[in-house]
Amino acid sequence: MALYFIPLATIVLFIVNQLTNSLCIQKEIPEEKQPKVFRTINVLITILLISSYIEVLFT
């Protein structure tokens, strides 16, 4: 199961980071606030992916 989930999670994080970058450009978020935006979104997506993995693992 981890063989499929880890590469998929990496791809999801990469795509979410691209979308976050587009959001920062579109909304003209200042350069000094962008790292906080990226960090927050990455942490939330990582929590979501880990909880999804645990749910799939135990069901």
Side-chain angles (χ1 to χ4, degrees):
M1 179 52 108
L3 238 86
Y4 298 111
F5 200 85
I6 292 173
L8 180 65
T10 305
I11 292 169
V12 168
L13 278 172
F14 181 74
I15 292 171
V16 168
N17 278 329
Q18 286 181 331
L19 292 171
T20 304
N21 188 39
S22 298
L23 173 76
C24 289
I25 291 170
Q26 183 179 8
K27 296 296 180 181
E28 298 175 356
I29 296 175
E31 289 286 330
E32 57 272 358
K33 290 190 177 186
Q34 286 183 13
K36 186 175 180 181
V37 172
F38 274 93
R39 188 176 320 114
T40 302
I41 291 174
N42 282 336
V43 166
L44 293 173
I45 293 296
T46 303
I47 291 169
L48 178 67
L49 288 169
I50 290 171
S51 65
S52 298
Y53 179 72
I54 291 172
E55 182 178 345
V56 168
L57 193 64
F58 292 116
T59 56

